[in-house]
Structure formats: C-alpha cells, structure tokens
Amino acid sequence: MTKLTIKVKNLEVTEQKSWAAGVPAVLSAYKNVTSKVGPFKGTKLLTKLNQIEGFDCPGCAWPDPLLKRATFEFCENGAKAVADEATLKRATAAFFGNYSIDDLKTKSDRWLNDQGRLVEPLYLAEGAKFYQPISWEKALNLVANELKELESPDHAAFYTSGRTSNEAAFLYQLFVRQFGTNNLPDCSNMCHESSGVGLTETIGIGKGSVSLDDLENSQAIFIFGQNPGSNHPRMLSSLQAAKRQGAKIVAINPMDETGLQRFKNPQEIEGVIGSGTALRDLYLPVKINGDVAFLKGLCKVLIERDDAGQEVLDKDFITIYCSGFDKFKEDLLAASWDDIELHSGLTQIQINQAADIACASQKTICCWAMGMTQHKNAVANIQLMTNFLMLQGNLGKPGAGVCPVRGHSNVQGDRTMGIWEKPSDSFLDALQHTYNFKVPREYGYDAVETVEAMAQGKVKVLFALGGNFYRAMPDHQLTKQALSHCELTVQVSTKLNQSHLYTGKNALILPALGRTEIDRQSSGIQTVTVENSMGVVQTSHGKIPPASDYLKSEIAILAELALLTLPNSKINWQQMRDDYKYIREGIEQVIPGFENFEQRIQQLGEFELPNAVRDERKFSTLNGKANFIVHDIESVKVPRGCLLMMTIRSHDQFNTTIYTNNDRYRGIHGSRRVVFVNVDDLNDLGLKDGQQVNIHSHWPNEDSKIRTVKQFTVVKYHIPRGCAASYYPETNDLIPLSSVADKSNTPAYKSVVISLEAI
C-alpha cells in the first residue's frame, strides 16, 4: 500500500482500499475476539453467532438466510460487537471510586467503552462527583418514587435503543402506556424515521418490501447513501450472490465506498487468494443532498423514453395500483436538465447510464441507509425512490421492491412492538382490549422533542433503555443543558458511555444482561426474539454466563419497576418476568402477524411477518393506492467559501461505539478528527492536505450563530466539489436541534454548511 505524506500527531493517511473484507477482515475479527474474550471462549462464541440455536448479532439488522445458515454466519463488525459485549474487562465500583465525573468527561468515547462491562447498579446524587454503588431495591424504588411524584405522566420520557428484544420492547411500552404517556422516543427517530414516514405515505407500510431471496435474485440494485462494507458487511455476500445471477449494481453516493467496489469473500478461496468479485457496475458521485435532483432526472428519462415508444413503463401497474401519475409526469417533463445537473452534480449522460440499467431490468430494488434519511428533504428522497420503482411496477413482485437497511439489530422490531410516540389507533385499541386499561391517546415526544421538552422543564425524568442518548443527539451543548434540568436520568446499559456523564440532578446506571449472556429466570433459561431489517422474527439464546451476578435482564428491570410504580395494576408483571412466553402471549393478541408466536419459534426458530405490499400488492394508504408524489428540487444554499458537510461513520465504529481510531477502508489510521475535502476546494480555500483546521457551521435561521469544533485535520479525498465529510458523533455539535427533516423530524446530520479556519 502506498504511504502518503500526511502524518499529523497520531494521524496517518494511506490510499483508500479498493476492495473490502478478505483476509484482513478475518484477522481483525479474530484479533478483536481473542484480545477481549480469549481465543477458546471467543472462537466458541462466534460459532453461535446468528445461528438458529445461538444468539442474534448485537450489531446491525442485516438478515440471516432462512433456515440455511453458514457455519460462520457473521462479519468482521459482528465479531467486534460480540467481543465488545463479551469482554473480560469490568468497570467495577473501584473504577468509579477512582474516577470522578469530571475526570471521565475528559476521556474519549473509545476510552470509556474500553473500560469494560458495568457490573452493579450505580447512583450519582445531586451535587456528587462520584458514582456510588446502590442496591437494586433502592435504585428501583428511587425511580418508582420519582415517577409517582410527577404531576403528570407526560413529565417523563422513555427512550429505547435497537438493542432491546421484542419481548423487552413490548413490556416497556406496556408499562409506559399504563403509566399514562406515549413519550416513547427511540433511535428510529434519529435514523430511519424518514423512511417510515415516506413509505407509509406512498405505499402504506413503513418497512421494506423485499426478502433476502429477492435481493439475491434481482436484476438491478440501486444503492443510495449507504456504506455496506462498514455498516452492513454481510450485505456484501448477498450482493455477490446477486452479481453471480447477473444483477447490475448502481452505487449513488458522494463517496465511492470501498465495500461497493470489490468484495473478497473470506469464506471462499477466491476471496482469500484471488481478486474477489467486482460489485458496482456504475458509480454516480452525487453531490450531498443532490438525490432529489438525480431521482427526478432518472424518472424523467424513463418517462421520456416511454413517450418515445420504448415501452419502459409498466402502464398496467400504474393504472391499476397507483394514484397521482399524471401530475407526477407533468412535473418531471417540466423539470430543467440544467437544474437537475446543477443540483445533483451529475451529467445527463451519467443519469442516462443509470436509466439504461433500469430499463434493462425486469426486477429492480432500491436499498438505502442514512445517507438518504438525514436531510431536510429526506422524506422526498424516500418517496422519489419509491416512485422510481413504481414507474416500472417494481413493487409486490419477486426480486423487486424497497429495501431500507436498518442500522441496529432490533430497531425495526421495537417499532413493531409499539415503541412509537405516534401509535396507531388500531394498535392502542388492541392493547386496551387485551390488557383492560385506558390507554393514552395523545401523541408523545420524539427524540428531538424530548430534548426540547427537557430544556423547557416539561420532562423531568428520562429513562433510557439502552443507547447513548446524549452522544447520539445533535447540538450537544443544548442536549447537555436540557438533561441537567431533569430531576432524574436513568440509563439501562451494558458499557460506559457519555450519557452516564451528562445527567439530570440525580442519575442511575442500571446494568443489564447483553445479547450474548444466559438469561435465567425462575422458570428456567429464557429465549427472546428480534426482527431483522427484512421483517423476519428470529430467536436469540444467550450462551455465556453473565458478566456479574448483579446483572438483571431488561425485562426483569422493567417488570420490577412496573410492580413498584403501578401497585394497583391488574397486569401480571411478575408472571411475565418469570417466563417470557407470557409476554409473547400478549404480543400474539395485540400485534397482527404473531399468531401462534410461541409455537412457531419453538418449531422453526424464525418466521416471516406478513407484508401487504410484498405478498398481495396491497397498499394500505388513505386512498388504497401507491401514490406518486411531486417534490421540488430544494438544495441547501451554500455561501461562497463554504462547503456542505455530511457526517459519516468509520469502519471501526458501531453507532456511537468507537472500537479504534482507524478507518481502514478510507485509509485513516490513528485519529477520527479529520475532514474529507475535494482537492480543488482545498486549493480554492487556500488550504493544504494535512493542515489543521477548526470547523465552523453556519445556520441563517439561528441569527447567524456559528458553532465550532476544533483541531481537525484536512484530508484530500475523492468527493464532489463543494462537499465535505467528517465523523459522527465528533461533529454533532455543529448541528442545531432545529435542523431536522420535514415531517419525520429526524436530525439533518447529512446537510451541514461549514467553513474551515486554518489553525
């Protein structure tokens, strides 16, 4: 590998890699597991990962093959997640006695995570500088008493991460709703909320409509705003299978990510000693936030070709199943190619190349991740992708459809289980009928609204079931202040993170079992389930002893809290804590698709949920049709001397969890404080590759307030002119809480106007 000239402090930059996985991925996985867990225990643990009788990966939500697992059904990043959870290191009471809150605030995200598993409940009293051990009885009573003393249930908010199981998520929302509120913000609010809103309006369901088999048998796959090599590595195997069936792959992204260039499958000889499989057939370097313009251009080409007699469109599908086509067509034909090229950063020739692939395909899928969902016009992105598929009838048939790729293992299952601040009437009706209590009907707070409510004194207790709420949010300064206004913040966690440091007046850390650990209750060892990104419900069985005898399962924590908080409840919380099958009985009665829940998981270990779009070509929209929706091209205004920046994640990162300071595929080693910039922009700005800068963000709707993060290194990179990229969450403080997507209220992490100040 060619070494470049940049070497600043701890940072070394090398050439971007041209292929993903292979032997380096195997070595990285083995190194992580053996160093943190030990060679024998770690290797044995990996053989249980994503197996029918094993445990589900605590990482991403990429699906497993139905009933046909490989011996090694995991990726490098899954191994990292398992090693991180099963680590032998422990953050004991002695550790917290040695480090004050102020000491811990000086440490990096990586350092905090590296201290190991949390092993006992901890309490930070108002004005105290050190966390102190506390018994479970006192801790849960403290939470229950604080909740009961609130003037209104709406003065509490209950956050959820995608780590929770279906059973824990269902029990959580049941407790929260009997307590009396719909304040159930979750990590979906910050990632794929735009997908849910956009898809629900267009096709009537907020989930994807494809299976793993569909993806592997598609003829064309358009991948938008996604870096599967780092964030969903097992997707590369499916893309490889599709390529071998003759599929064409189009990558649309401001950065040409390694994982979509070439894949060396480490489970094949070709992936070890050969050149691997070339994946993408066409790369389109769209400008940041240029996707609406590109999609309008792509749809315009398809319609114009059909009008010219090429029979591109599926007119029967449009006539029978769709609404709004005439207005959609009129808008596209009126669109200017000058505007499309200007705002997309792509030429008409490039867009026609993408249209050639679409026209040659009878089965097309669109995949996407947060590169599409975290813009002000994110919902428009999702709806135009869906409309592009509708033009050729690519919904509700094998090998075709929409494929939002979720980033955390059960984030989709959380929503299915009712973790949502805007629950449907049908869900609430079923919950009320099954459990015989009056459910709250008023919508609750999402994640952004929760921070705003805390800042205004409207939320006084924040209970977080997993996750890293503080660090995941934008606008860390405001989030920090908002949290400090709470009377109590509670974090149910497995590892130390910054949300334990920026707290309410009083704070609790409640340590929970991880996905890898045996969950033994009075009725025996328990099984839980999760729902993957393609709507398959599968079992998960912990395989190693708990990190501490003091750990409780999330379900036990919630059930015991419910018993203390709701003494007059008729719900048998104790029974559900002792045997999770009773939670599944409730799920079966409340949520469609879970009929014979217990029987199916006992017999098969997994099953597919029904999907009206995929299974029946049924669209549960208000008009019963798949809707074409007109969207204008609305680009972010970038003043002269500024760039449009998007936040990104590194290869050695999972959400806010940082494993190392390296990003192997992009050639970054030793530091995350970098900003990627086009070399011509560097020249125009009078900056040099490797120069130290401060990054300022500019927000005209905030009275020209400038936000700053300091001491970053400029790295020249192949990214479109006028664009830049830097790592999340280090640059989250550049983004105000008010910068959100229309309709979904998702923070716009991918559209940040910045200037660079040389140090």
Side-chain angles (χ1 to χ4, degrees):
M1 180 181 290
T2 304
K3 293 291 180 71
L4 302 185
T5 56
I6 296 183
K7 198 162 187 179
V8 182
K9 294 183 178 179
N10 297 323
L11 172 66
E12 182 176 336
V13 181
T14 59
E15 292 282 2
Q16 179 186 5
K17 289 183 70 69
S18 59
W19 51 268
V23 173
V26 176
L27 295 176
S28 174
Y30 186 72
K31 178 182 177 182
N32 271 274
V33 169
T34 56
S35 64
K36 294 183 178 181
V37 186
F40 177 76
K41 180 181 176 182
T43 302
K44 185 177 180 180
L45 200 56
L46 290 180
T47 64
K48 302 298 182 182
L49 179 54
N50 294 322
Q51 301 299 324
I52 293 289
E53 293 300 323
F55 59 91
D56 187 67
C57 181
C60 81
W62 188 252
D64 307 313
L66 279 171
L67 303 177
K68 52 179 180 179
R69 306 285 199 273
T71 302
F72 301 107
E73 194 62 63
F74 60 87
C75 66
E76 174 190 353
N77 283 10
K80 291 174 188 173
V82 168
D84 198 60
E85 181 174 288
T87 178
L88 301 178
K89 295 184 71 174
R90 304 287 183 261
T92 63
F95 167 83
F96 286 97
N98 290 332
Y99 291 94
S100 71
I101 288 294
D102 292 335
D103 294 332
L104 293 172
K105 286 178 180 178
T106 67
K107 305 298 185 181
S108 68
D109 297 280
R110 178 188 174 189
W111 187 92
L112 294 171
N113 182 69
D114 283 347
Q115 302 317 301
R117 289 291 300 276
L118 297 161
V119 293
E120 60 187 308
L122 298 160
Y123 176 52
L124 183 69
E126 184 172 2
K129 294 295 184 181
F130 292 85
Y131 271 103
Q132 298 287 337
I134 185 175
S135 70
W136 274 108
E137 181 182 8
K138 289 182 178 178
L140 292 175
N141 270 297
L142 192 157
V143 181
N145 290 336
E146 195 71 47
L147 291 174
K148 288 189 287 188
E149 289 174 5
L150 294 174
E151 293 181 9
S152 164
D154 291 327
H155 290 170
F158 300 85
Y159 178 73
T160 320
S161 85
R163 190 194 70 207
T164 58
S165 65
N166 287 328
E167 289 77 7
F170 185 81
L171 194 72
Y172 193 35
Q173 64 80 31
L174 179 62
F175 160 61
V176 170
R177 292 194 164 104
Q178 189 166 44
F179 177 65
T181 185
N182 283 312
N183 287 346
L184 282 159
D186 75 324
C187 55
S188 284
N189 298 148
M190 293 180 278
C191 56
H192 269 287
E193 196 69 57
S194 301
S195 298
V197 172
L199 291 173
T200 299
E201 290 183 353
T202 48
I203 62 174
I205 184 172
K207 300 181 181 182
S209 66
V210 303
S211 67
L212 203 56
D213 188 65
D214 288 325
L215 188 73
E216 294 179 359
N217 289 282
S218 180
Q219 293 177 355
I221 303 170
F222 285 70
I223 301 175
F224 291 82
Q226 185 188 2
N227 177 13
S230 291
N231 297 323
H232 312 94
R234 285 193 300 149
M235 182 178 177
L236 301 183
S237 298
S238 297
L239 294 177
Q240 180 189 53
K243 285 294 295 181
R244 289 173 174 173
Q245 296 280 358
K248 299 289 186 181
I249 296 175
V250 182
I252 305 100
N253 201 313
M255 302 176 83
D256 190 5
E257 302 291 11
T258 298
L260 289 174
Q261 295 177 31
R262 183 173 290 274
F263 171 52
K264 292 189 178 184
N265 191 332
Q267 299 197 48
E268 299 177 349
I269 295 296
E270 174 70 11
V272 176
I273 62 175
S275 59
T277 303
L279 293 181
R280 61 165 168 76
D281 297 273
L282 176 64
Y283 167 58
L284 298 176
V286 67
K287 289 167 61 175
I288 293 174
N289 198 45
D291 302 283
V292 165
F294 162 66
L295 283 160
K296 292 191 74 165
L298 180 59
C299 293
K300 178 182 175 74
V301 173
L302 297 184
I303 288 174
E304 289 178 340
R305 289 186 183 185
D306 193 81
D307 283 351
Q310 294 186 33
E311 297 186 2
V312 171
L313 306 187
D314 187 335
K315 296 184 179 65
D316 288 341
F317 178 84
I318 292 171
T319 300
I320 297 170
Y321 295 104
C322 299
S323 175
F325 173 72
D326 290 340
K327 288 185 178 179
F328 185 73
K329 177 179 178 179
E330 180 183 357
D331 175 72
L332 292 177
L333 293 179
S336 158
W337 274 110
D338 287 341
D339 283 346
I340 291 169
E341 291 186 324
L342 173 66
H343 295 291
S344 70
L346 302 172
T347 66
Q348 188 173 351
I349 292 173
Q350 289 173 305
I351 296 173
N352 269 283
Q353 289 174 326
D356 290 341
I357 292 174
C359 290
S361 170
Q362 299 299 311
K363 301 181 292 184
T364 300
I365 287 174
C366 285
C367 299
W368 70 90
M370 286 178 284
M372 295 294 275
T373 64
Q374 294 178 333
H375 298 277
K376 185 177 187 297
N377 55 355
V379 171
N381 284 339
I382 277 70
Q383 293 181 336
L384 283 171
M385 274 190 293
T386 311
N387 290 166
F388 156 63
L389 292 171
M390 289 159 54
L391 287 174
Q392 296 182 282
N394 282 307
L395 291 173
K397 69 180 183 182
V402 290
C403 183
V405 184
R406 310 287 176 169
H408 206 167
S409 60
N410 199 40
V411 64
Q412 183 160 301
D414 284 351
R415 186 55 56 86
T416 301
M417 292 297 109
I419 300 293
W420 195 20
E421 74 282 355
K422 299 180 179 68
S424 67
D425 285 337
S426 60
F427 176 85
L428 293 178
D429 290 344
L431 195 70
Q432 183 166 294
H433 175 77
T434 301
Y435 289 100
N436 196 28
F437 70 92
K438 186 176 181 181
V439 298
R441 298 279 173 170
E442 186 176 349
Y443 285 171
Y445 297 131
D446 64 21
V448 167
E449 291 165 344
T450 294
V451 175
E452 294 170 339
M454 289 190 296
Q456 297 164 10
K458 295 179 180 178
V459 165
K460 301 179 184 300
V461 174
L462 175 69
F463 189 101
L465 191 65
N468 187 356
F469 183 85
Y470 162 76
R471 197 63 166 146
M473 292 300 298
D475 209 334
H476 287 151
Q477 298 305 312
L478 177 57
T479 302
K480 182 192 311 181
Q481 294 170 10
L483 286 164
S484 71
H485 294 162
C486 290
E487 295 298 323
L488 175 67
T489 51
V490 184
Q491 304 288 330
V492 179
S493 306
T494 58
K495 303 284 292 292
L496 183 62
N497 62 52
Q498 291 205 30
S499 289
H500 304 126
L501 313 181
Y502 297 98
T503 68
K505 297 171 185 175
N506 296 273
L508 282 167
I509 301 174
L510 304 181
L513 291 174
R515 189 77 58 80
T516 58
E517 293 170 313
I518 297 168
D519 181 357
R520 188 184 298 275
Q521 303 299 329
S522 62
S523 66
I525 295 176
Q526 302 299 307
T527 294
V528 295
T529 62
V530 297
E531 179 188 347
N532 67 35
S533 201
M534 292 183 179
V536 176
V537 176
Q538 56 200 59
T539 54
S540 184
H541 317 264
K543 291 299 178 182
I544 59 175
S548 163
D549 291 339
Y550 291 104
L551 300 186
K552 288 181 180 286
S553 71
E554 291 180 330
I555 288 169
I557 294 170
L558 295 171
E560 291 172 24
L561 179 60
L563 284 167
L564 294 169
T565 308
L566 307 170
N568 298 319
S569 173
K570 304 300 185 201
I571 295 172
N572 196 333
W573 304 100
Q574 180 84 35
Q575 184 185 57
M576 290 189 286
R577 185 197 70 174
D578 293 343
D579 193 335
Y580 300 172
K581 73 178 182 183
Y582 294 108
I583 304 175
R584 289 189 282 273
E585 284 184 0
I587 294 171
E588 179 179 330
Q589 294 178 62
V590 173
I591 304 173
F594 285 85
E595 295 78 14
N596 301 313
F597 191 0
E598 188 72 16
Q599 180 182 350
R600 284 195 282 176
I601 64 169
Q602 292 293 338
Q603 290 180 348
L604 301 174
E606 60 187 358
F607 60 89
E608 282 187 290
L609 290 174
N611 185 299
V613 173
R614 180 193 66 211
D615 303 335
E616 308 173 58
R617 271 196 168 174
K618 179 181 178 182
F619 302 100
S620 302
T621 55
L622 293 176
N623 59 8
K625 300 282 188 178
N627 292 305
F628 286 99
I629 301 177
V630 172
H631 289 286
D632 295 331
I633 298 173
E634 298 179 357
S635 292
V636 178
K637 294 181 180 179
V638 182
R640 184 181 295 275
C642 292
L643 304 170
L644 189 61
M645 187 195 83
M646 62 179 181
T647 63
I648 57 175
R649 305 185 190 200
S650 75
H651 187 63
D652 269 3
Q653 171 180 6
F654 178 69
N655 294 341
T656 58
T657 301
I658 312 300
Y659 300 127
T660 77
N661 290 331
N662 303 328
D663 192 353
R664 185 171 80 239
Y665 292 157
R666 296 190 182 107
I668 301 299
H669 311 273
S671 176
R672 294 172 51 83
R673 300 187 74 81
V674 301
V675 54
F676 299 98
V677 183
N678 183 289
V679 65
D680 292 326
D681 286 324
L682 289 182
N683 293 334
D684 289 349
L685 296 171
L687 298 171
K688 295 181 180 179
D689 191 23
Q691 192 164 355
Q692 292 278 288
V693 297
N694 295 330
I695 307 176
H696 307 292
S697 65
H698 304 269
W699 304 94
N701 61 340
E702 288 212 332
D703 299 321
S704 300
K705 179 179 179 180
I706 296 176
R707 298 160 182 269
T708 302
V709 291
K710 297 183 177 181
Q711 293 185 316
F712 282 67
T713 302
V714 171
V715 174
K716 68 177 181 181
Y717 207 80
H718 296 295
I719 190 169
R721 288 292 307 269
C723 298
S726 196
Y727 292 119
Y728 159 107
E730 285 82 355
T731 48
N732 283 20
D733 219 16
L734 294 172
I735 306 163
L737 205 65
S738 59
S739 179
V740 295
D742 297 333
K743 294 187 177 181
S744 71
N745 214 35
T746 295
Y749 298 99
K750 305 294 185 187
S751 296
V752 187
V753 176
I754 64 165
S755 61
L756 302 176
E757 173 199 8
I759 300 177

